[in-house]
Amino acid sequence: MAHATINSNAAQLQRLKEQGRAPVAFVLNGQPAQALQGDTVLTAVLTQSAQLRTHEFAGTPRAGFCMMGACQDCWVTLGGTDAGRKVRACSTALQAGMQVCTTPGAVATAALVEAQP
């Protein structure tokens, strides 16, 4: 079965409403990123990237599935002061300065990177 090629520069989600909320700086795979107050980690990542993570066994892109914390498809690892802690991206509120690691390489090199306000 062939899989679609993903343009890693295109975001999976495009924000159409609620654009007036306060910005929240965070770090995504070692790079500074910005989302909006009240976003979940899943929303924050998918407004920056075409996928949330890559499936461990198949290597296919994943973007969450159930969106309510039941399917186990959206686990990501935190870096920084929470290094190694795994959270469900769909049900975890993004916090300012949070370091989100969605790739094994980002987890391995999750050094403290300051989020820019």
Side-chain angles (χ1 to χ4, degrees), residues 18-116:
E18 297 185 9
Q19 297 179 18
R21 291 184 278 140
V24 175
F26 73 106
V27 177
L28 177 58
N29 295 326
Q31 299 298 312
Q34 195 172 73
L36 297 181
Q37 184 176 19
D39 282 353
T40 63
V41 171
L42 181 66
T43 299
V45 171
L46 293 180
T47 57
Q48 308 291 313
S49 176
Q51 67 188 52
L52 176 66
R53 63 181 191 87
T54 302
H55 190 273
E56 299 88 350
F57 304 109
T60 54
R62 308 301 293 170
F65 183 71
C66 74
M67 306 304 175
M68 62 182 203
C71 74
Q72 311 294 316
D73 197 47
C74 68
W75 287 100
V76 296
T77 305
L78 300 181
T81 57
D82 290 320
R85 186 172 143 227
K86 292 186 178 249
V87 298
R88 286 185 173 126
C90 73
S91 59
T92 301
L94 184 72
Q95 302 296 317
M98 187 178 268
Q99 292 188 42
V100 180
C101 304
T102 66
T103 65
V107 172
T109 60
L112 286 174
V113 177
E114 292 297 318
Q116 300 300 313

